[in-house]
Amino acid sequence: MTPTNPQDFHRPAYHFLPAANWMNDPNGVIQWNGRYHLFFQYNPDGAYHANMHWGHAVSDDLVHWQELPIAIAPTPNSPDRGGIFSGCVVNDDGRPVAVYTGVNDDYSVQTQCIARGNEDLTRWEKFAGNPVLSDVPAHLGQTRDFRDPFVWREGDLWFMTISAHIAGVGGAVLLYRSPDLVDWEYLHPLYVGERARQGRNFECANFFRLEDKWVLIISVQGDQTPTNTLYWVGRLKNHRFVSERECVYDAGYSYASLMHFDESGRPLIYSWIREGRSADQQLAAGWSGVQAIPRVLSLDERNRLCSEPAPELKTLRGAHHSFNGADLGEGPLPIRGLALDIEAEFDVGGDRICGIELAASADGSEKVAIQYDSLAQTLNVHRQYRHENPELDSAPQGIPHALDLGETLQLRILLDGSVIEVIANGRGRVTSRFYASEATSQGLRVINPAAVASLDVWQLSNNS
């Protein structure tokens, strides 16, 4: 494995990604004996999707990550010979158990397998009886989508969701139970989607109790619908999910989220941040895919799913710049950088547009504009490149975001190389990518300074 070019200013500094090659879904996130473990989809052969292994990284604080050797690799002539697809890790009475999808060479057969780990989760022994689940329920019809186990324990029983799709209907989340992680009984669909509205297939379903509600998070593979992440909040009755709220979790490049409760009981969620550039550019860079900063989940008083970057991120904050509306003009701020943590509050009032421009070139021809439109009640990300480039995605991104009565707009923005994470009032999320033409495109400017109640910007150090 050859590390990528250290002068690559598109490469994030404080988000985790392996030294080189392809990474996608987070897998098996768990805190074990005080240390946070992140497994992830990884191709050791290059920056393209193939030959899936489980990569492995470990952290003491969710901020500084150490990449470890590959954890689980395909075994020839076995149910996972074509790849180790996504899954989770659970604590089985003091023994770590990885539950994952194994695939054949063309991915047409997807079965669920388990492996048992050692005390520091660096060595894994696959179960001799794999797969532990191979029968696709007949009512799904002809489908190859049967993957991404998410497992939790209730009393003496284990429960598991499988992400799938029902032919001619749409995505589905299937519910199973087991006394021992080996013998699984199919119960029924936990949730069935509508293809026209929610896409063709569901991936990476998470189902968990949060306070007195149950939350279902799903990544959607669309036909004409956007590829993004949805969530539902509701209740569980006789092991059937009753939805009470449906929303978009993230309207950008965030995908394949995976959550766990850490040893203190915090609900933490991790996500893969996809690329917004062509496969050829990814190969040329030598890396593809980034992990989002882990976030702490909560529900507000209206049962909306809120998330905030793990507070440990604040330990990376360096030079601090603070402003209010009276300090600001229309020009660029006296701050430059591609590794920033921004907290901004706007008193929207009757003003129609406000927000932040970042990664701006000196002449303003290239920039990212994060804009809130108070009339349309939308949060939008507009990416403007100096020259049109078909290898870079520059389509507008946005999400509905209505403010509550008397509520100000509160933005948390993380900029890191080509990664932009935007959270509005804890509940509106857009994750974006921007590949500036020049390393000097680091300008910052406020849109509608008169609306600013407060603005704080920190320059961040890296995660090494």
Side-chain angles (χ1 to χ4, degrees):
M1 180 169 59
T2 303
T4 51
N5 180 6
Q7 303 305 313
D8 180 0
F9 61 90
H10 295 144
R11 184 179 172 89
Y14 62 88
H15 286 70
F16 172 75
L17 68 166
N21 303 325
W22 171 279
M23 175 181 67
N24 57 292
D25 308 3
N27 301 145
V29 292
I30 192 169
Q31 189 179 19
W32 191 267
N33 293 332
R35 307 197 79 190
Y36 292 95
H37 291 261
L38 165 66
F39 301 89
F40 51 91
Q41 294 284 276
Y42 177 66
N43 177 11
D45 294 338
Y48 57 94
H49 186 281
N51 190 27
M52 288 295 99
H53 293 54
W54 271 25
H56 187 193
V58 66
S59 174
D60 292 318
D61 60 5
L62 294 173
V63 174
H64 301 88
W65 292 92
Q66 176 190 2
E67 184 179 1
L68 298 179
I70 287 170
I72 308 178
T75 299
N77 303 314
S78 80
D80 63 30
R81 63 186 181 275
I84 311 295
F85 273 22
S86 296
C88 59
V89 171
V90 296
N91 185 339
D92 183 20
D93 295 328
R95 183 81 183 271
V97 177
V99 188
Y100 64 92
T101 298
V103 298
N104 66 344
D105 294 323
D106 65 0
Y107 307 163
S108 62
V109 178
Q110 303 181 358
T111 60
Q112 316 318 314
C113 303
I114 65 173
R116 296 184 173 92
N118 66 344
E119 65 280 355
D120 62 2
L121 283 64
T122 57
R123 295 190 305 276
W124 296 85
E125 180 182 355
K126 295 179 183 179
F127 178 53
N130 279 337
V132 296
L133 177 61
S134 59
D135 293 336
V136 178
H139 70 86
L140 268 61
Q142 294 296 315
T143 179
R144 57 187 265 168
D145 298 315
F146 184 68
R147 55 183 176 269
D148 307 334
F150 181 85
V151 179
W152 71 98
R153 194 169 196 166
E154 291 183 29
D156 295 331
L157 291 174
W158 294 97
F159 288 83
M160 174 173 69
T161 59
I162 296 293
S163 300
H165 96 266
I166 301 175
V169 176
V173 180
L174 312 178
L175 184 63
Y176 291 79
R177 67 183 173 193
S178 169
D180 56 9
L181 297 172
V182 173
D183 297 312
W184 290 97
E185 174 192 5
Y186 176 50
L187 297 179
H188 44 253
L190 184 71
Y191 184 83
V192 176
E194 303 170 24
R195 180 167 182 161
R197 189 170 64 86
Q198 298 165 335
R200 183 192 69 82
N201 181 51
F202 290 161
E203 292 192 296
C204 300
N206 291 216
F207 189 61
F208 54 97
R209 187 192 298 271
L210 193 57
E211 300 169 17
D212 62 345
K213 295 293 183 179
W214 284 83
V215 178
L216 177 64
I217 299 179
I218 294 171
S219 293
V220 173
Q221 283 187 319
D223 296 311
Q224 303 303 315
T225 56
T227 298
N228 55 27
T229 307
L230 307 177
Y231 78 85
W232 292 258
V233 177
R235 50 196 169 84
L236 193 63
K237 185 175 182 180
N238 298 323
H239 290 110
R240 294 184 183 274
F241 179 60
V242 180
S243 174
E244 298 171 345
R245 173 182 291 276
E246 175 186 343
C247 292
V248 174
Y249 176 75
D250 193 293
Y253 289 99
S254 176
Y255 197 78
S257 298
L258 184 62
M259 71 79 59
H260 74 109
F261 293 94
D262 72 6
E263 292 171 354
S264 70
R266 288 191 305 177
L268 295 171
I269 192 165
Y270 305 64
S271 301
W272 167 42
I273 301 178
R274 298 173 290 130
E275 296 294 325
R277 55 184 172 179
S278 69
D280 286 344
Q281 289 206 348
Q282 294 170 51
L283 286 171
W287 59 273
S288 178
V290 180
Q291 289 295 320
I293 296 299
R295 299 179 185 176
V296 182
L297 295 174
S298 62
L299 293 175
D300 69 10
E301 68 282 354
R302 296 172 58 182
N303 288 323
R304 294 174 295 196
L305 185 62
C306 298
S307 60
E308 294 292 346
E312 289 91 333
L313 180 66
K314 294 179 180 179
T315 63
L316 298 184
R317 287 176 170 177
H320 177 212
H321 309 267
S322 184
F323 308 89
N324 59 40
D327 301 326
L328 298 167
E330 295 292 340
L333 297 176
I335 307 166
R336 298 179 61 80
L338 291 175
L340 302 175
D341 186 352
I342 302 170
E343 294 184 6
E345 182 178 8
F346 294 86
D347 186 359
V348 176
D351 296 310
R352 187 169 188 272
I353 299 290
C354 60
I356 301 283
E357 290 181 356
L358 43 77
S361 60
D363 63 2
S365 64
E366 189 166 80
K367 60 189 174 184
V368 178
I370 300 164
Q371 297 181 346
Y372 182 71
D373 186 325
S374 64
L375 295 184
Q377 298 186 56
T378 56
L379 177 69
N380 302 294
V381 177
H382 298 282
R383 295 166 290 170
Q384 178 180 315
Y385 288 103
R386 180 175 289 114
H387 304 292
E388 185 174 340
N389 185 343
E391 293 194 283
L392 299 177
D393 178 18
S394 59
Q397 299 169 294
I399 191 171
H401 185 66
L403 296 175
D404 296 339
L405 184 64
E407 187 178 26
T408 58
L409 175 69
Q410 300 173 32
L411 295 179
R412 179 78 179 273
I413 302 169
L414 303 179
L415 171 64
D416 189 11
S418 57
V419 171
I420 305 165
E421 296 191 57
V422 183
I423 305 174
N425 299 87
R427 62 180 185 271
R429 292 159 284 256
V430 182
T431 301
S432 193
R433 302 300 297 270
F434 186 70
Y435 307 91
S437 300
E438 301 172 354
T440 55
S441 293
Q442 300 183 13
L444 194 67
R445 189 181 78 88
V446 174
I447 303 168
N448 195 349
V452 172
S454 64
L455 173 64
D456 291 276
V457 182
W458 291 267
Q459 294 169 307
L460 268 60
S461 59
N462 66 34
N463 69 353
S464 59

